[in-house]
Amino acid sequence: MAVIRDADEIEGFDRIRKLNKRQKRWLWHWLPSMSRAIFHGGARAPEENLDAGLEELLTRDDYPKSLLEKALKAVDERLVGSETIQWIDAQDYRLLVYIANEIGRSDLISEYFSGEWHRELILTIDLLPEGTSDKIARLRELHKKWLQIRTPDEQTKWLSLNNDRQLSWARHYVVQKLGHPPFLQTVLIHLPRLAVLAILDIHPFHHPLERKAFIDKMRKSWSQKKYRDSAGTRKQRYMPMQQHVHDRLTKMARAKGLKRYELAEQLIEAAYDEWSGKL
């Protein structure tokens, strides 16, 4: 029968208590790989009391004395500094989707967005087998790639935050044209705008200009849909207009093969989308 020893009897145990939560969380998952006596079946770390959980593991009868020193050394060798991961914003849903996809943890992605996502992603990164130098290089490369592939906000500000009709259309348009990773299925339903932007971020466009062209075509298609949908509700209106503006409208409409009122509607709808996206 295993004998539980008092943690205070283990020389240096106070150094374990002084570790931060991230280090303790990593240690909880690392220890079973170092001792058969320390086994928890892959159970999640007890967030409400990490100290008690680690003490329960580390004070077991067959815990080798050298393990504590190995653990402290491993913390330094396996975990990168907080400055290396500070760019991983816990509130940036799209960024977390990107990272989860890149490191093979798309199973974490759901429509229930919370700080738990961020915590689990950081833990996954910490548990990667490579040392700190390799992890730092990998994280820098991930960061660099993110800055390159993230869809610029100015290209998608016309996608409204609260226009359900538009977001439903955008969801179907993007899925039809680009497809979507299975792990985003529920997110597309519950958080369509974020899911659409995430798809635009991670889709393998060959160049940023290719993505911009896709978004421009998408926006034009939305304007055309609104025009078609409103065709049956059009009424005669009167709007005073300066002559040179009228002439320019006529010239532009002819060039596009549209009537003046058709072009005016498209221009107003596009301007409204841009304006409402800033609200």
Side-chain angles (χ1 to χ4, degrees):
M1 180 177 179
V3 178
I4 304 299
R5 297 186 299 183
D6 188 334
D8 292 328
E9 295 179 6
I10 303 175
E11 184 180 352
F13 193 86
D14 60 314
R15 288 183 289 169
I16 295 292
R17 293 194 182 99
K18 291 177 182 177
L19 295 176
N20 61 41
K21 275 195 170 185
R22 177 185 158 213
Q23 293 168 326
K24 291 175 183 177
R25 194 177 295 123
W26 174 84
L27 200 56
W28 169 271
H29 290 276
W30 179 82
L31 283 170
S33 69
M34 301 302 294
S35 171
R36 292 182 179 180
I38 301 177
F39 177 76
H40 52 55
R44 300 180 68 179
E47 291 295 327
E48 67 284 355
N49 199 338
L50 281 166
D51 283 342
L54 285 174
E55 287 179 10
E56 195 280 324
L57 294 182
L58 285 166
T59 57
R60 291 180 180 181
D61 171 61
D62 50 2
Y63 153 71
K65 271 194 170 184
S66 62
L67 184 56
L68 186 142
E69 291 300 327
K70 290 180 180 178
L72 293 170
K73 183 178 179 181
V75 167
D76 292 332
E77 293 178 344
R78 296 292 185 85
L79 273 64
V80 299
S82 58
E83 69 281 356
T84 305
I85 57 174
Q86 64 183 357
W87 63 276
I88 304 177
D89 185 354
Q91 304 303 316
D92 191 337
Y93 187 102
R94 291 160 59 190
L95 172 59
L96 299 186
V97 168
Y98 158 74
I99 295 175
N101 186 52
E102 288 288 321
I103 66 175
R105 286 303 309 273
S106 59
D107 58 293
L108 294 175
I109 299 170
S110 75
E111 71 275 19
Y112 303 109
F113 181 45
S114 69
E116 186 176 332
W117 269 41
H118 182 263
R119 186 170 64 237
E120 290 298 319
L121 281 175
I122 297 300
L123 175 61
T124 299
I125 291 170
D126 288 339
L127 288 172
L128 292 173
E130 58 257 42
T132 54
S133 58
D134 289 336
K135 282 184 184 176
I136 289 173
R138 183 173 182 180
L139 287 166
R140 285 176 176 170
E141 189 60 31
L142 281 174
H143 191 193
K144 180 181 178 181
K145 182 179 177 181
W146 172 243
L147 295 176
Q148 293 172 340
I149 71 168
R150 186 184 187 279
T151 306
D153 292 337
E154 60 268 19
Q155 293 181 11
T156 57
K157 59 187 177 183
W158 60 274
L159 277 173
S160 174
L161 292 171
N162 49 21
N163 186 334
D164 292 340
R165 176 169 161 264
Q166 184 195 55
L167 293 177
S168 177
W169 174 88
R171 177 181 62 200
H172 287 94
Y173 184 94
V174 168
V175 169
Q176 182 183 39
K177 301 293 184 181
L178 302 179
H180 71 283
F183 61 80
L184 283 177
Q185 180 62 46
T186 57
V187 186
L188 277 163
I189 297 172
H190 298 282
L191 300 170
R193 188 177 193 276
L194 285 170
V196 165
L197 296 180
I199 292 173
L200 291 173
D201 291 334
I202 66 178
H203 184 77
F205 291 107
H206 294 99
H207 192 277
L209 290 177
E210 182 183 358
R211 179 179 56 208
K212 183 179 184 302
F214 177 86
I215 295 172
D216 289 344
K217 184 176 181 180
M218 178 180 173
R219 182 174 182 177
K220 182 178 180 182
S221 295
W222 169 244
S223 295
Q224 291 172 341
K225 173 177 171 52
K226 287 192 298 180
Y227 166 73
R228 289 193 300 270
D229 290 349
S230 65
T233 60
R234 191 175 291 111
K235 295 182 180 179
Q236 188 72 29
R237 313 288 182 182
Y238 173 75
M239 180 185 297
M241 184 181 298
Q242 295 184 43
Q243 185 61 46
H244 76 280
V245 176
H246 179 274
D247 294 342
R248 289 177 179 177
L249 182 63
T250 301
K251 185 176 181 180
M252 292 169 60
R254 286 175 179 170
K256 292 178 176 290
L258 300 172
K259 297 183 183 299
R260 283 193 298 269
Y261 68 82
E262 292 174 335
L263 177 59
E265 285 182 345
Q266 289 188 14
L267 293 173
I268 291 170
E269 290 285 7
Y272 180 82
D273 287 341
E274 182 173 354
W275 171 78
S276 60
K278 296 178 182 179
L279 298 180

